[in-house]
Amino acid sequence: QVQLVESGGGLVQPGGSLRLSCAASGINFGIHNMGWYRQVPGKQRELVARVTVSGFTNYGDAVKGRFTISRDNTKNTVYLQMNSLKPEDTAVYYCNRVNPFSTWGQGTQVTVSS
């Protein structure tokens, strides 16, 4: 049974940083390309960053140069380091496979506000 548990969100001022974590269980983590998604009310969930099984990364234009995705296959965990945060980064953040599993975690709320 797939389980994805996100953590690390919170309230931060513009220009601040946060590091999100996502612990995965019930899957063979090392064979999946993983991603971080975000969703704001009334909008579709969007993929903002992804990391392949070999560690190759790419990013959406809105976060490129500010966010860094990484993974630790020994811990079945994927991370998102978010720097230079902007109010428009406010969203609930989720992790999942790049071709998403039907199961999603609860997400972690990130609020960027002064």
Side-chain angles (χ1 to χ4, degrees):
Q1 182 177 352
V2 177
Q3 188 171 15
L4 301 163
V5 180
E6 300 92 351
S7 61
L11 172 64
V12 63
Q13 292 187 339
S17 298
L18 285 173
R19 188 191 193 209
L20 307 184
S21 300
C22 172
S25 60
I27 62 172
N28 188 352
F29 181 80
I31 68 170
H32 296 294
N33 298 327
M34 297 297 294
W36 279 98
Y37 299 75
R38 68 185 182 188
Q39 188 171 26
V40 298
K43 292 191 175 181
Q44 283 194 329
R45 196 170 291 169
E46 63 169 341
L47 178 64
V48 297
R50 57 184 174 180
V51 57
T52 69
V53 296
S54 58
F56 177 81
T57 59
N58 60 16
Y59 302 89
D61 288 342
V63 307
K64 198 173 297 182
R66 300 187 297 120
F67 290 10
T68 303
I69 188 171
S70 60
R71 65 190 297 161
D72 185 339
N73 290 341
T74 68
K75 297 181 179 179
N76 287 4
T77 300
V78 60
Y79 304 97
L80 187 68
Q81 177 67 44
M82 305 187 297
N83 298 329
S84 302
L85 282 160
K86 303 176 180 180
E88 52 263 43
D89 295 317
T90 296
V92 179
Y93 284 73
Y94 303 87
C95 74
N96 208 317
R97 194 175 57 176
V98 171
N99 180 17
F101 297 109
S102 58
T103 299
W104 292 81
Q106 82 287 350
T108 187
Q109 175 71 49
V110 172
T111 303
V112 185
S113 175
S114 55

